[in-house]
Amino acid sequence: MEDKAFLQHALEQSFLHPLVIESERIKITSDSFCCETLQISDTEFLYAQPYRITAEQIKKYMQNISAVISTRQNKRLYTEYELYKHDLAENIIVPNTYPDIKKIGKQLDLQTVSRQAAQKKKITATLFPPSFITEFNKITEQYTADFNRCKELLKQNQKAVGLSLIDDFAAIFEQNMKKFGLSHFVFWINRKRFLYYLNEAAQLLKTHQQLDADFCRTHTFFGEKIKLMHKSVAQCHTMLHELVRLLQEMSFDSQLYGIVQELLVSRQRFDNALKKYRAQNPADNVAQITSIRHNMSDIFKSYALLCYFNGVRCAFEYKYLNEAPQQRNPELPTVSPQDEIKKIAKIVGESTKIDSSAGKLGKLYTSALGKYASTQRKLQSLLTH
């Protein structure tokens, strides 16, 4: 396989199969309702709606590949790739028995301490801005701190949170029910199931029972096995999942589930029940709490996109570049580990000085960083007023 074809294949696979490195909270999986969609979730932000990246979005991102691997527009990519192939062929390594080898690898952000591993960083840097890694690490710390701060604030304002949640549930429920009309057969025929499943979830939670982790997936809709209906059925599942997520957030006050059940019967009964609940649970900061809750979701979406982009970079550097079709000698332990480590550190240092921010992928990554920063500033404003 020629160089250009291999690099294109490696990048395509990276966008399709991103890799999360050393993250205990972020998971990237295939959407259980639509296998062509990636789903990003935060295992500590349990009630956040998973962020979905559709096949159409991925295809749009992949349209940038042809430009970034152009031999005319990115000559340095091929210069660095030639050096990589040379290092692969020699296959010189620092023995795993060398003192502090794991610590050195961690300091240099290398899975293996070798010139070929370091050279991969220079290849990657011609495509993805090296500054993204530094910014992403800072944002990860910031995201965790902001999340914990908001979590504590919401805990201190449970009455306002309850009213905020019930308002959100009603708004999203009514918006979704408009889709279950006669104009769309799949939605219309699934209307009763949708209401039944919501009532079932509310009743279980109302009686202090836990929902199964796969509650939404195992509650099926008409058309599951009909190919032409897959997309519409997937939407039914997605809408059910969003509303069930809100129900699970209400677990601190079982009265809220009774109000939800009234909404499933009629708007009038819901309004009466909610009016009574408001009188018993007054709160004057519902609007602020709602803004904070919504902004937390926006921040998660922005952070999830950064996790996806970082996962693409990691997959390219740590997995798919390893598949380069280059003949290699058997591993040859270096006779001078200290000198070899100096060479490796120098290569890693050089990779951080490569500027690819003006490239197609560079602009994509920079834009995602800017979007996160804007969302985070909005949260800070909400928290300080």
Side-chain angles (χ1 to χ4, degrees), residues 120-147:
K120 285 195 296 181
K121 287 202 169 297
K122 293 186 75 174
I123 296 172
T124 303
T126 68
L127 303 168
F128 310 96
S131 58
F132 175 84
I133 303 171
T134 303
E135 290 301 313
F136 178 73
N137 290 337
K138 289 179 182 177
I139 284 173
T140 295
E141 292 182 6
Q142 185 183 68
Y143 170 80
T144 302
D146 286 342
F147 168 77

Side-chain angles (χ1 to χ4, degrees), residues 27 68 75 147 155 175 198 217 261 346:
K27 305 295 180 185
V68 297
K75 294 179 180 179
F147 168 77
K155 188 177 179 181
Q175 182 182 4
L198 280 177
R217 184 176 62 81
Q261 289 176 313
K346 182 181 178 183

Side-chain angles (χ1 to χ4, degrees), residues 47 157-166 201-208 246-261 273-274 276-283:
Y47 302 131
N157 291 272
Q158 295 277 269
K159 290 183 179 180
V161 170
L163 291 167
S164 174
L165 285 169
I166 204 72
Q203 185 61 31
L204 288 170
L205 292 166
K206 183 179 178 180
T207 55
H208 307 290
L246 285 172
L247 287 176
Q248 289 175 305
E249 284 194 75
M250 301 177 189
S251 61
F252 62 88
D253 187 349
S254 60
Q255 291 184 75
L256 296 170
Y257 298 122
I259 300 174
V260 164
Q261 289 176 313
L274 181 57
K276 183 178 179 181
Y277 181 82
R278 286 183 185 278
Q280 295 172 345
N281 299 274

